[in-house]
């Protein structure tokens, strides 16, 4: 079964369940409790959207401070004789990344993008972004700047910048709010079996929407950096995951699948799905050879 066939099958199943639940919901909307149920659903979806927007706004507002405290403090100062070779390399990669983002921000339809990182252990492999309008903020863990792993920096950076270009933060908040409202409406109108089906259908559609965005950003990164660069990044993650204990690894995989597709699916997608404008691509400005 191809990737397209698999995604199409899941989409058809979720849409069929949604159609069944929708018909049952429409029948219940003619009942006396419809007004209350609709009001509760609208309030639940609206509150979810408000808290999402508040977190989005806070992340963008804190971006310049986070950049000054965790990024620019290293990238902006001159090297000292006491600095180690690793630190010098990391600081130089920070400067290169800042320059690349500054130079290409307008080309991406964005106004301002801030960068930040952290020395905390849990953020070693962090890579995430938040956007609001034409502004964005990108968090990058130290793994992507370290000499042993920095050859993956172009791919992971282009993936996060693609999220900002696509305005994925706002889309995700809207999709989650719609799912919350749908579940709240089903809880107020439907019997338990139909409510369970509605919850499963809403959750499946929300997960599929999130997966679609991640795969789209993988393909965007592949168009800039090449298929091999993106696929190798995910293969390295697969190899790294195999070194951990089985149960924590399995739990992390299940938890991560709520928002991100499995790594093997990402590799398959980036290697097989046709790309636009694949010819004539030059080396990425942040490209470096693999450390040996």
């Amino acid at each position: 079964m191809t990737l397209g066939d698999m995604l199409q099958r899941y989409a058809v199943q979720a849409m069929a369940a949604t159609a069944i639940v929708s018909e049952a919901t429409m029948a219940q909307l003619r009942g006396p409790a419809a007004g209350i149920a609709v009001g509760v659903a609208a309030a639940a979806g609206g509150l979810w959207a408000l808290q999402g927007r508040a977190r989005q706004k806070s992340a963008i507002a804190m971006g310049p401070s986070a950049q000054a405290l965790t990024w620019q403090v290293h990238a902006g100062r001159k090297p000292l004789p006491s600095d180690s070779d690793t630190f010098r390399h990391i600081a130089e990669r920070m400067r290169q990344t800042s320059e690349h983002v500054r130079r290409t921000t307008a080309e991406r339809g964005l106004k301002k993008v801030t960068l930040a990182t952290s020395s905390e252990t849990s953020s070693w492999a962090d890579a995430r972004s938040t956007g609001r309008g034409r502004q964005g903020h990108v968090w990058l863990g130290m793994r992507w700047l370290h000499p042993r792993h920095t050859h993956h920096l172009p791919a992971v950076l282009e993936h996060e910048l693609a999220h900002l270009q696509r305005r994925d933060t706002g889309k995700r908040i809207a999709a989650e709010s719609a799912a919350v409202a749908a579940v709240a409406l089903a809880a107020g109108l439907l019997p338990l079996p139909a409510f369970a089906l509605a919850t499963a259908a809403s959750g499946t559609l929300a997960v599929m929407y999130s997966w679609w965005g991640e795969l789209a950003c993988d393909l965007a990164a592949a168009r800039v950096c090449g298929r091999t660069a993106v696929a190798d990044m995910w293969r390295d993650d697969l190899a790294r995951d195999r070194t951990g204990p089985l149960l924590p690894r399995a739990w992390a995989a299940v938890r991560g699948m709520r928002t991100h597709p499995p790594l093997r699916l990402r590799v398959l997608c980036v290697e097989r799905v046709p790309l636009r404008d694949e010819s004539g691509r030059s080396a990425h400005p942040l490209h470096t050879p693999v450390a040996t």
Side-chain angles (χ1 to χ4, degrees):
M1 179 181 295
T2 66
L3 172 64
D5 292 338
M6 182 172 62
L7 292 177
Q8 184 177 15
R9 185 185 69 179
Y10 289 147
V12 169
Q13 291 174 349
M15 290 174 66
T18 303
I20 294 171
V21 173
S22 297
E23 181 150 343
T25 303
M26 292 302 295
Q28 292 293 328
L29 281 173
R30 292 188 286 270
I36 297 175
V38 170
V40 171
L47 288 173
W48 190 273
L50 286 175
Q51 66 87 23
R53 294 285 290 178
R55 291 169 57 190
Q56 177 190 30
K57 184 177 180 180
S58 175
I60 297 301
M62 293 295 294
S65 297
Q67 177 171 279
L69 293 172
T70 68
W71 188 277
Q72 201 60 30
V73 68
H74 303 304
R77 74 171 178 84
K78 294 181 179 180
L80 301 175
S82 58
D83 291 341
S84 66
D85 290 341
T86 299
F87 180 86
R88 289 172 181 268
H89 180 277
I90 290 174
E92 179 60 25
R93 291 299 271 169
M94 286 180 165
R95 286 189 286 270
Q96 293 171 354
T97 303
S98 297
E99 176 59 25
H100 174 68
V101 171
R102 184 197 63 78
R103 188 173 58 249
T104 61
T105 293
E107 299 173 8
R108 303 173 189 276
L110 301 170
K111 182 179 179 181
K112 183 178 181 180
V113 177
T114 52
L115 300 161
T117 189
S118 173
S119 59
E120 295 178 5
T121 304
S122 60
S123 68
W124 166 250
D126 200 8
R128 51 195 171 93
S129 57
T130 297
R132 185 170 184 263
R134 297 180 60 203
Q135 298 186 70
H137 182 69
V138 177
W139 290 265
L140 290 175
M142 297 301 291
R143 176 176 186 250
W144 311 108
L145 304 166
H146 193 277
R148 288 199 304 270
H149 308 283
T150 195
H151 56 283
H152 293 314
L153 176 61
V156 72
L157 178 64
E158 293 299 335
H159 176 96
E160 297 306 328
L161 292 176
H163 276 305
L164 300 181
Q165 284 181 270
R166 287 167 41 88
R167 310 293 197 266
D168 277 342
T169 304
K171 293 177 181 178
R172 177 180 54 79
I173 293 172
E176 291 177 351
S177 301
V180 169
V183 170
L185 184 62
L189 296 178
L190 302 178
L192 184 59
F195 166 70
L197 183 60
T199 302
S202 297
T204 300
L205 288 173
V207 168
M208 289 187 62
Y209 183 81
S210 181
W211 284 19
W212 182 267
E214 292 297 328
L215 294 175
C217 290
D218 283 348
L219 294 176
R223 284 193 291 272
V224 179
C225 304
R227 294 179 184 271
T228 302
V230 181
D232 285 350
M233 177 176 65
W234 298 132
R235 286 197 178 96
D236 274 9
D237 275 5
L238 277 170
R240 181 168 56 94
D241 287 346
R242 293 192 191 103
T243 62
L246 178 59
L247 288 179
R249 195 172 74 221
W251 169 245
V254 171
R255 185 178 57 185
M257 285 176 63
R258 295 178 303 167
T259 55
H260 292 74
L263 291 174
R264 287 184 177 83
L265 176 60
R266 302 183 83 157
V267 172
L268 178 64
C269 176
V270 81
E271 288 184 334
R272 301 292 180 84
V273 174
L275 297 178
R276 301 189 308 272
D277 304 325
E278 193 172 3
S279 61
R281 180 182 56 249
S282 59
H284 193 277
L286 297 177
H287 171 75
T288 59
V290 180
T292 57

